[in-house]
Amino acid sequence: QLQASGGGLVQAGDSLTISCATSGRTFTAYRMGWFRQAPGKEREFLAAQGRGGGTKYYADSVKGRFILSSDNAKNTMFLHMNTLKPEDTAIYYCAADPRPAQAMSIMTPKYWGQGTQVTVSS
């Protein structure tokens, strides 16, 4: 299971951190990542990490602004989002898959969390 949380309403320019908690088995055995989907738009890959919080990969659209981190003791992955823009408004989903993390940008992960809403006001 993947449990995303931490979304909310923020203003443009603010920062927000969302989290994805999972079981120890999933955290250590699977690659995990973040996606988002805005109304009327296709799902977008954001970032992914190797097993147990390993090597990080980012979409060019968020590289340098969004940062992945992990709390291995709590089997939790975080997405730190900085300098948020209204166009970042979307439902943010965490996902997990046994395939390599760098492949998450081009494939559909096997397991998904329920999503957390992030709304950025102008």
Side-chain angles (χ1 to χ4, degrees):
Q1 287 187 343
L2 300 164
Q3 184 72 33
S5 63
L9 173 63
V10 298
Q11 292 186 335
D14 284 352
S15 297
L16 184 69
T17 296
I18 55 178
S19 62
C20 178
T22 189
S23 68
R25 181 181 180 278
T26 298
F27 189 80
T28 57
Y30 290 79
R31 286 73 173 187
M32 295 177 63
W34 287 99
F35 294 74
R36 69 184 178 189
Q37 188 163 21
K41 294 188 177 181
E42 293 186 354
R43 184 178 60 218
E44 177 187 11
F45 165 78
L46 299 176
Q49 64 180 33
R51 289 178 290 187
T55 304
K56 313 292 194 290
Y57 302 91
Y58 297 93
D60 289 342
S61 60
V62 301
K63 193 177 296 182
R65 198 162 59 92
F66 289 8
I67 300 172
L68 278 177
S69 70
S70 300
D71 183 335
N72 289 20
K74 296 183 178 179
N75 302 315
T76 300
M77 173 181 66
F78 301 97
L79 185 66
H80 308 279
M81 303 182 289
N82 300 306
T83 319
L84 283 163
K85 307 172 185 178
E87 51 264 43
D88 293 318
T89 295
I91 299 175
Y92 284 69
Y93 298 91
C94 62
D97 196 275
R99 290 167 287 184
Q102 61 266 42
M104 275 202 179
S105 63
I106 58 173
M107 55 80 166
T108 300
K110 187 174 183 179
Y111 303 105
W112 291 88
Q114 85 286 5
T116 185
Q117 175 72 48
V118 173
T119 303
V120 184
S121 64
S122 58

